[in-house]
Amino acid sequence: MWLKPEEVLLKNALKLWVLERSNQYFVLQRRRGYGEEGGGGLAGASREEITEHWDWLENNVMNTLSVFDSNEDITSFVQGKIRGLIAEEGKGSFVKEEDPEKFREGLMKFERCFGLPEQEKLVTYYSCSYWKGRVPCQGWLYLSTNFLSFYSFLLGAEIKLIISWDEISKLEKTSNVILTESIHVCSHGEDHYFSMFLHINETFLLMEQLANYAVRRLFDKETFENDLVLHDPLQITKRGLESRAHSEQFSAFFRLPKEETLKEVHECFLWVPFTHYNTHGKMCISENYICFASQDGSLCSVIIPLREVIGVDKADPANRGVSISTKGKRAFRFTEVKDFEQLVTKLQIKCNATSNPQHIISTEVATSSASDSPKDFDELPAKTGQRDTSKTVSTEALMTVYHPQDAENLDSKMLKEKMKEQSWNILFVERGHGVSMFRTKKTRDLVVRGIPEALRGELWLLFSGAVNDMASNPGYYTELVEKSLGTCTLATDEIERDLRRSLPEHPAFQSDTGISALRRVLTAYAYRNPQIGYCQAMNILTSVLLLYAKEEEAFWLLVAVCERMLPDYFNRRIIGALVDQAVFEELIRVHLPQLTDHMTDMTFFSSVSLSWFLTLFISVLPIESAVNVVDCFFYDGIKAILQLGLAVLEYNMEKLLTCKDDAEAVTVLNRFFDSVTNKDSPLPPAVQQGANLSDTKSDHPKVDITDLIRESNERYGDIRYEDVESMRCRNRLYVIQTLEATTKQNVLRVVSQDVKFSPSDLDELYDLFKKEHFLSCYWNVNSPVLRHHDASLPYLEQYRVDCQQFRVLCHLLSPWSHCANRDSLALWTFRLMDESSDGLINFKQFACVLDTMYNGSFTDKLKFLFKLHIPPAFTEVESLSPSKGGDLSKEELIHFSQLSVSSTGDNLESNALKSSPEKGKGKVDIQAYLKQWQDELLKKEENIKDLPRMNQSQFIQFSKTLYNLFHGDPEEELLYRAIAVVTSLLLKMEEVGRRLQGPMSPVKSPAAVTEVSAESLQKGPEEGSSEQTEGGRAQSLKGNHEWSFAFEQILASLLNEPAFVRFFEKPHEIKAKIESAKNLQLKARTRV
């Protein structure tokens, strides 16, 4: 449709065209005599397409043009925009045709414009406008694995923008008066707006995926390490990301195992026998499942595991029908399926239905005996895997043991319970029983009323998808119990501590039977998933699961909750719960604005609702009411908890609006929860928590849980699952960046006490340090720094850099970075700071080093340089490639940084290991942390007399370092002469001292040494390095005959030279270095 804009020069050309539509800036014309088709010379364009693009111009470009001051600017902008759209359409076509030339052209432009390392993988690019102030700049948005980049060159002005995905705290679609639809990106507090996308939804989805992928890889490796699909950033592609997004949405919607990937989607109709109606929707096929979801508002869905399928046939070829038969003697008929013949063939191969007749016979036999009671099916895998451990694993739900139903003496509550069971049995007859049942609005209505006690465990297993995990892993749980029992970890200690706190009022958990079952499930899960291990609230949830489900079923329900339905809830930072709290706050703003206006601080809702999300209301509601909430959760997911939360707040709206503070509001909500009852619960009064409180809380009106849940569905049932997932994605970035900001504040508060940098300088130094940490992770899958990053560690230890990264930072920020042997200085500094000998240093150590260089006194700086030239910091550095001079390769740097040069260093390392509060992934020694903290507080100022003496070769290297530091200084000559004088003086003093101590000592005359040292200094560092090393070795004598100097001697000698004192006391401004480093950090990484 879009054509390059050109001026029409034909005389009387306008007479050839008829005006169709017009506005202030554009006209839509068609050629005379060409009726309805065509327009403006756009061959092959239909009226629908032309109208669509005209509407796009009016909605996306019209409002924008009003910000320009001149017609020339408007013309230039429109021409640039149209050219971008032409290229965009061309790109769309080459993606379909997989034309590598076009993409290579875009890739070359990307590399040329931004100069990023060649490992940075471009995923895709889009034409769009970037708003700089109130003026849009037409250009190209490039999306790569680690960066969002924008480039524009228009009217002689170049705009270049590079934002790391890990720096983004907000990513959302917005609209206002000028921008009809745009993408808003917030990074480091700065807002960036991109608009006029041809396909904004596709662009936004891809941006959201890349941002969340980066956040998971860099900040939240607990969940990422198990994700093999995206583990290598070099393997990411646009197509891969899109298919992954569809697969995640598919498996989450149908509650399937995470490993399932969506293979095919077919639009079709499904025959619904109980309504005698064909419902329109989509058939989704993965490796092991055929699923269907209606799209006509009937809320009908079906999940057919291939393990249940016994036959796939063509049915009613005229209507392109496919018939699928299952073990439960049911057949599902799909019609109007595109390419239905190929689909039938594929499914037959998948199910092995045609090539394995023996299989069909055996399954039909099993079906005839088991179809009426699907429970027997569920028990089969458990029995096959139990072997000798059947004595330890409980095979009955605790509720059946402690509250058996008396079939003869039915009171009114039990009669109601039996009526509920009857309603479900009628539903099973109509809609099927088991994993392949039809799920419709009627199913949800019955769930809202409360699932009967006898069916609760089975239906929880079904609706959560845990039934599929259990069927796919027969015997897995019993094996896990065998392996995990007897293990002793931090998780098992915490489990033991919490066992007796889990529903302590229930008789099932006052006996060894319930406690042992709870211990086995929690320990087995901690063993299965050490990344989560055990988290508080898991015990409360698991105890409720054990009441209604068999032990193995409770385990798989826990797996479904922790790993699929409430992702990232039960890790060390409970990120998932914080994300859902942010979603809850957003929903409160939309649905309960008067409450938002009244509350001065929205964090109240977060603090009060945390337990609602973590325990699914079990910790705040009486047990007989809480199980009804769990019913809805397993059917509707987190949406049910959000809806109920809104209903609770709305119910208490009037009282909350009169509250003067948070404490009063908490009291109001607690009283409300105490008043919630379940009038239909068949549980004995001794177990019901609400019944026990009925007398004391009689002043508060009772609220029935069924009514509350029904009301929450009626008022907030229009909250869509897709919207909740979108809000989760959006708020995840915000939550993680908020946690990162908290980490930063805590680190800066600790470090600021030990350095003299201003808060703003320290803040920017932290950003540079953290950025360097991330830059090493961007293009390296197995980065050792990323491997050591752990968000559960103390704040200071969360981000650390290795020797290679420290060198880059030193080159960028050190006032001595001009020094010829700067690599050696960086290496020795790193070795000095790396007290634990683990090859990593934290921000406090890094900031203290820089503080000494910039703000230290003459004595501090000299002492620092002295310590760099003695063990454990100092090591002889000889580059493997002499032609490189003082530069060290990455391999050499890592090699030298890990060398243990003396027994002192070894002792330091062993001491560090002994005192380390955290050894591997074992227990954290709190006492060791406290002792370490106390030692730091009591650490006295280091006495210069405690410093070891500097030997001959070390002193010569020390003198050379000083010479290198002075190179290029205005007083270079004066400083050089001062070095020579001090060196000579020190050597003569040493000679005199030795003669006084022992005149007969066989010491070689230091006069020769003086000449060697002076000569090597005159040659400079490059020429003298090899000679100096040889000279140093030649002069070095064994045992006590080698001469050495104390720090006091060197300090006293240098203080006599005013040029020295002036040089080291000269102030250095770090601000300029920081600004330069911010611009050069990425380029420095590219060079490395």
Side-chain angles (χ1 to χ4, degrees):
M1 160 74 192
W2 303 106
L3 295 180
K4 186 178 176 182
E6 293 177 351
E7 191 176 354
V8 179
L9 297 175
L10 283 173
K11 190 177 181 182
N12 297 325
L14 291 177
K15 293 180 181 178
L16 299 174
W17 301 90
V18 177
L19 184 69
E20 288 264 320
R21 292 162 75 176
S22 67
N23 56 43
Q24 188 179 349
Y25 299 103
F26 301 101
V27 292
L28 177 62
Q29 299 175 317
R30 66 176 172 82
R31 201 157 36 161
R32 287 184 185 277
Y34 275 77
E36 299 298 317
E37 294 301 317
L42 305 179
S46 66
R47 175 174 285 275
E48 288 76 17
E49 187 181 0
I50 293 168
T51 306
E52 180 191 334
H53 287 114
W54 173 266
D55 292 340
W56 188 91
L57 280 173
E58 285 198 323
N59 293 332
N60 291 276
V61 181
M62 274 286 295
N63 294 333
T64 306
L65 298 181
S66 60
V67 304
F68 290 103
D69 297 327
S70 66
N71 289 335
E72 289 76 12
D73 288 348
I74 291 174
T75 305
S76 176
F77 176 80
V78 171
Q79 286 181 338
K81 184 69 216 171
I82 300 299
R83 288 193 192 98
L85 293 172
I86 293 167
E88 177 87 6
E89 284 202 330
K91 181 171 79 78
S93 64
F94 82 69
V95 167
K96 289 170 192 168
E97 296 161 14
E98 296 186 346
D99 180 359
E101 285 303 315
K102 275 278 188 185
F103 191 80
R104 195 176 294 121
E105 188 181 308
L107 178 61
M108 286 173 65
K109 189 177 177 185
F110 169 70
E111 290 172 347
R112 187 173 64 249
C113 290
F114 302 104
L116 295 169
E118 59 182 19
Q119 304 101 306
E120 182 63 15
K121 184 178 172 64
L122 177 65
V123 177
T124 189
Y125 55 97
Y126 297 96
S127 166
C128 72
S129 295
Y130 169 62
W131 287 77
K132 196 169 177 64
R134 292 187 69 249
V135 179
C137 308
Q138 175 58 34
W140 289 93
L141 181 72
Y142 296 89
L143 306 181
S144 57
T145 47
N146 298 295
F147 299 97
L148 176 155
S149 315
F150 177 83
Y151 183 82
S152 170
F153 187 82
L154 203 62
L155 303 174
E158 182 183 57
I159 293 171
K160 194 182 292 186
L161 180 72
I162 302 177
I163 302 172
S164 303
W165 292 116
D166 56 79
E167 294 172 348
I168 293 175
S169 57
K170 187 179 282 187
L171 181 64
E172 60 184 356
K173 281 193 293 186
T174 60
S175 60
N176 56 38
V177 177
I178 294 176
L179 300 175
T180 307
E181 218 173 6
S182 64
I183 294 175
H184 171 213
V185 177
C186 182
S187 167
H188 289 305
E190 290 184 30
D191 293 311
H192 307 276
Y193 291 91
F194 302 90
S195 66
M196 299 193 210
F197 291 95
L198 203 56
H199 306 290
I200 191 167
N201 290 330
E202 175 197 304
T203 311
F204 180 74
L205 178 65
L206 211 57
M207 290 169 74
E208 200 172 53
Q209 279 184 285
L210 286 166
N212 276 292
Y213 158 66
V215 159
R216 284 179 62 202
R217 184 161 67 95
L218 300 172
F219 294 120
D220 192 23
K221 68 170 189 169
E222 289 180 26
T223 53
F224 184 79
E225 281 179 347
N226 300 324
D227 196 337
L228 300 175
V229 180
L230 291 180
H231 196 60
D232 185 355
L234 301 179
Q235 300 304 315
I236 294 176
T237 61
K238 178 174 179 282
R239 184 173 295 172
L241 285 170
E242 286 172 348
S243 63
R244 180 182 174 81
H246 293 143
S247 292
E248 285 178 347
Q249 193 177 0
F250 161 72
S251 57
F253 183 82
F254 291 107
R255 308 273 164 77
L256 301 178
K258 275 185 170 181
E259 308 80 54
E260 291 299 311
T261 54
L262 184 60
K263 299 294 185 185
E264 296 178 56
V265 178
H266 298 274
E267 229 175 282
C268 62
F269 289 88
L270 171 64
W271 174 250
V272 184
F274 48 88
T275 59
H276 305 287
Y277 174 76
N278 273 316
T279 182
H280 175 253
K282 288 186 177 177
M283 181 202 294
C284 305
I285 301 170
S286 66
E287 294 96 329
N288 301 298
Y289 298 88
I290 302 167
C291 303
F292 176 87
S294 66
Q295 293 186 299
D296 56 7
S298 61
L299 301 178
C300 175
S301 64
V302 173
I303 300 167
I304 310 170
L306 292 182
R307 65 177 184 271
E308 295 285 317
V309 174
I310 57 172
V312 181
D313 303 294
K314 284 182 271 189
D316 192 7
N319 291 316
R320 295 179 294 179
V322 177
S323 176
I324 298 173
S325 307
T326 63
K327 294 175 184 176
K329 295 183 178 177
R330 296 189 74 86
F332 297 89
R333 194 178 76 197
F334 300 91
T335 53
E336 301 300 326
V337 183
K338 190 179 178 184
D339 301 325
F340 75 106
E341 291 178 339
Q342 291 93 318
L343 179 63
V344 167
T345 308
K346 281 183 201 169
L347 290 177
Q348 284 174 343
I349 294 168
K350 267 181 181 262
C351 303
N352 207 10
T354 52
S355 60
N356 193 354
Q358 185 63 40
H359 172 73
I360 297 173
I361 294 165
S362 62
T363 52
E364 281 178 343
V365 171
T367 304
S368 61
S369 61
S371 58
D372 296 329
S373 56
K375 282 189 183 180
D376 297 341
F377 252 143
D378 297 339
E379 286 172 18
L380 285 174
K383 287 178 181 173
T384 56
Q386 278 173 14
R387 299 188 304 277
D388 298 331
T389 60
S390 56
K391 294 175 185 175
T392 59
V393 176
S394 171
T395 55
E396 282 189 288
L398 294 176
M399 196 60 81
T400 60
V401 177
Y402 288 90
H403 308 297
Q405 292 185 7
D406 188 352
E408 295 178 3
N409 302 314
L410 295 179
D411 58 14
S412 60
K413 287 185 177 181
M414 282 307 300
L415 282 171
K416 280 188 179 178
E417 187 74 1
K418 289 296 177 186
M419 286 169 65
K420 275 189 191 178
E421 284 183 36
Q422 188 60 31
S423 299
W424 277 96
N425 288 329
I426 292 168
L427 185 87
F428 293 149
V429 170
E430 278 186 1
R431 290 158 169 75
H433 193 172
V435 70
S436 301
M437 69 184 287
F438 281 89
R439 301 169 200 211
T440 61
K441 188 175 181 300
K442 179 72 180 295
T443 317
R444 175 183 273 114
D445 291 341
L446 287 180
V447 169
V448 167
R449 284 171 52 193
I451 297 174
E453 302 273 311
L455 295 174
R456 190 161 265 145
E458 178 194 340
L459 291 176
W460 282 359
L461 208 65
L462 194 67
F463 296 143
S464 66
V467 64
N468 296 315
D469 294 319
M470 192 166 144
S472 306
N473 298 278
Y476 175 81
Y477 174 67
T478 48
E479 285 175 22
L480 216 54
V481 169
E482 284 178 11
K483 291 175 185 174
S484 62
L485 279 182
T487 56
C488 185
T489 63
L490 182 63
T492 56
D493 286 354
E494 290 176 345
I495 289 167
E496 288 299 325
R497 192 174 64 240
D498 286 350
L499 284 175
R500 306 273 171 189
R501 303 176 189 171
S502 312
L503 296 187
E505 67 286 338
H506 198 287
F509 297 101
Q510 293 167 359
S511 70
D512 190 54
T513 307
I515 293 292
S516 298
L518 184 59
R519 178 187 291 114
R520 285 192 294 271
V521 172
L522 291 174
T523 307
Y525 186 78
Y527 188 87
R528 164 191 164 87
N529 191 343
Q531 293 291 354
I532 291 178
Y534 170 76
C535 178
Q536 279 191 331
M538 285 170 70
N539 60 320
I540 297 171
L541 178 62
T542 308
S543 56
V544 172
L545 299 178
L546 281 166
L547 287 177
Y548 293 98
K550 299 167 191 170
E551 191 176 315
E552 184 178 10
E553 293 173 348
F555 170 79
W556 286 113
L557 282 167
L558 184 65
V559 169
V561 171
C562 294
E563 296 175 19
R564 286 203 311 273
M565 299 185 73
L566 298 179
D568 301 345
Y569 260 62
F570 301 100
N571 57 23
R572 294 178 181 91
R573 297 194 292 174
I574 56 168
I575 286 174
L578 296 176
V579 169
D580 283 343
Q581 283 184 301
V583 171
F584 187 49
E585 283 182 24
E586 203 172 317
L587 290 171
I588 292 170
R589 289 190 192 95
V590 173
H591 295 281
L592 305 171
Q594 60 273 51
L595 199 57
T596 311
D597 296 339
H598 175 72
M599 301 301 289
T600 52
D601 186 5
M602 288 292 284
T603 55
F604 163 75
F605 297 114
S606 298
S607 57
V608 79
S609 66
L610 182 61
S611 61
W612 304 357
F613 290 99
L614 279 173
T615 66
L616 309 178
F617 283 93
I618 295 169
S619 62
V620 292
L621 285 173
I623 182 67
E624 66 276 8
S625 301
V627 289
N628 284 38
V629 179
V630 179
D631 294 341
C632 297
F633 168 74
F634 279 127
Y635 192 82
D636 271 332
I638 194 61
K639 178 174 169 287
I641 305 299
L642 293 166
Q643 288 175 185
L644 185 60
L646 290 171
V648 166
L649 293 178
E650 188 186 17
Y651 193 94
N652 293 279
M653 176 85 75
E654 290 181 12
K655 291 181 180 176
L656 289 172
L657 290 175
T658 59
C659 290
K660 297 178 179 61
D661 55 34
D662 290 357
E664 198 177 337
V666 169
T667 305
V668 166
L669 291 173
N670 285 342
R671 284 182 176 167
F672 169 76
F673 286 129
D674 288 340
S675 72
V676 175
T677 62
N678 186 351
K679 62 178 186 293
D680 296 333
S681 173
L683 291 180
V687 175
Q688 290 193 32
Q689 295 169 348
N692 299 335
L693 295 164
S694 58
D695 299 331
T696 57
K697 301 292 178 185
S698 56
D699 59 321
H700 202 289
K702 295 284 178 268
V703 181
D704 188 67
I705 187 65
T706 310
D707 297 336
L708 190 63
I709 291 173
R710 186 184 294 114
E711 191 173 331
S712 75
N713 262 280
E714 288 171 359
R715 297 189 69 84
Y716 306 109
D718 58 344
I719 296 173
R720 294 167 61 242
Y721 161 80
E722 294 83 356
D723 295 336
V724 171
E725 287 304 309
S726 175
M727 284 190 278
R728 271 179 160 180
C729 268
R730 185 165 65 245
N731 284 289
R732 186 180 183 79
L733 294 174
Y734 167 74
V735 165
I736 288 187
Q737 293 295 358
T738 304
L739 290 172
E740 288 297 307
T742 305
T743 299
K744 179 179 178 178
Q745 287 166 9
N746 284 291
V747 169
L748 295 184
R749 188 173 63 246
V750 171
V751 175
S752 61
Q753 298 168 9
D754 297 328
V755 298
K756 296 172 185 172
F757 290 125
S758 69
S760 60
D761 288 344
L762 200 58
D763 188 289
E764 292 190 305
L765 282 173
Y766 180 86
D767 288 339
L768 287 166
F769 182 86
K770 182 176 164 184
K771 184 74 177 174
E772 191 58 39
H773 165 93
F774 281 156
L775 284 170
S776 73
C777 310
Y778 282 168
W779 305 288
N780 189 351
V781 181
N782 298 312
S783 164
V785 179
L786 190 60
R787 208 162 50 241
H788 286 94
H789 172 55
D790 187 347
S792 66
L793 289 174
Y795 291 121
L796 268 174
E797 303 303 313
Q798 286 186 22
Y799 292 109
R800 297 185 289 171
V801 295
D802 62 18
C803 194
Q804 161 65 12
Q805 296 165 288
F806 179 75
R807 170 172 68 171
V808 174
L809 287 169
C810 278
H811 289 185
L812 292 170
L813 293 165
S814 169
W816 303 336
S817 57
H818 63 279
C819 190
N821 65 333
R822 62 181 187 169
D823 277 4
S824 301
L825 274 180
L827 168 65
W828 297 331
T829 305
F830 183 84
R831 288 171 63 85
L832 181 66
M833 290 293 101
D834 184 19
E835 294 171 356
S836 60
S837 303
D838 60 358
L840 298 165
I841 65 169
N842 62 36
F843 178 68
K844 183 178 180 181
Q845 294 165 319
F846 170 72
C848 288
V849 165
L850 278 185
D851 188 59
T852 303
M853 294 179 182
Y854 279 95
N855 303 318
S857 64
F858 173 77
T859 307
D860 291 336
K861 291 176 183 175
L862 201 63
K863 183 170 69 174
F864 173 64
L865 284 169
F866 182 88
K867 287 165 77 175
L868 292 187
H869 292 82
I870 57 174
F874 182 75
T875 180
E876 293 284 350
V877 175
E878 295 177 27
S879 176
L880 306 176
S881 171
S883 62
K884 292 192 299 180
D887 291 343
L888 295 171
S889 71
K890 181 179 177 181
E891 291 73 21
E892 291 166 353
L893 197 70
I894 298 298
H895 167 71
F896 288 127
S897 72
Q898 293 171 350
L899 279 181
S900 182
V901 293
S902 67
S903 58
T904 314
D906 294 336
N907 292 338
L908 276 170
E909 185 171 348
S910 61
N911 290 337
L913 284 170
K914 284 176 193 170
S915 64
S916 175
E918 189 158 326
K919 298 170 187 175
K921 287 287 179 186
K923 296 183 186 179
V924 177
D925 190 346
I926 304 299
Q927 293 298 324
Y929 268 130
L930 291 171
K931 186 177 184 305
Q932 198 178 64
W933 181 48
Q934 188 179 26
D935 291 344
E936 283 184 14
L937 290 175
L938 298 175
K939 194 183 287 178
K940 59 181 180 181
E941 188 67 33
E942 187 176 31
N943 194 328
I944 57 175
K945 291 181 180 178
D946 297 335
L947 291 171
R949 295 173 71 85
M950 181 181 279
N951 70 25
Q952 171 187 328
S953 62
Q954 293 161 2
F955 177 72
I956 294 175
Q957 183 59 55
F958 174 74
S959 304
K960 284 190 61 182
T961 298
L962 288 176
Y963 177 84
N964 288 329
L965 285 178
F966 302 147
H967 183 66
D969 192 87
E971 295 187 309
E972 183 178 357
E973 284 299 318
L974 195 61
L975 288 162
Y976 165 66
R977 283 199 294 273
I979 295 176
V981 169
V982 169
T983 306
S984 301
L985 177 64
L986 284 167
L987 290 169
K988 285 173 184 173
M989 284 166 60
E990 179 65 16
E991 183 182 3
V992 171
R994 284 199 173 278
R995 283 177 181 168
L996 288 171
Q997 284 178 3
M1000 299 306 291
S1001 298
V1003 180
K1004 201 168 184 176
S1005 171
V1009 177
T1010 310
E1011 289 169 17
V1012 170
S1013 179
E1015 188 182 334
S1016 67
L1017 288 172
Q1018 284 174 338
K1019 289 184 178 182
E1022 290 81 6
E1023 299 172 44
S1025 61
S1026 57
E1027 285 187 29
Q1028 174 207 313
T1029 308
E1030 294 302 319
R1033 286 176 183 163
Q1035 296 302 323
S1036 177
L1037 301 175
K1038 293 180 182 177
N1040 296 322
H1041 302 309
E1042 187 179 80
W1043 50 264
S1044 60
F1045 299 115
F1047 176 68
E1048 302 101 298
Q1049 293 173 289
I1050 296 174
L1051 176 63
S1053 305
L1054 291 178
L1055 279 170
N1056 288 324
E1057 298 296 331
F1060 267 115
V1061 180
R1062 282 197 302 274
F1063 177 84
F1064 281 110
E1065 292 196 337
K1066 185 166 49 180
H1068 293 281
E1069 185 57 55
I1070 197 171
K1071 280 192 188 298
K1073 278 280 188 184
I1074 289 174
E1075 286 306 314
S1076 169
K1078 279 153 66 173
N1079 296 325
L1080 296 173
Q1081 191 174 26
L1082 201 52
K1083 291 177 184 174
R1085 171 61 56 177
T1086 306
R1087 286 197 297 273
V1088 171

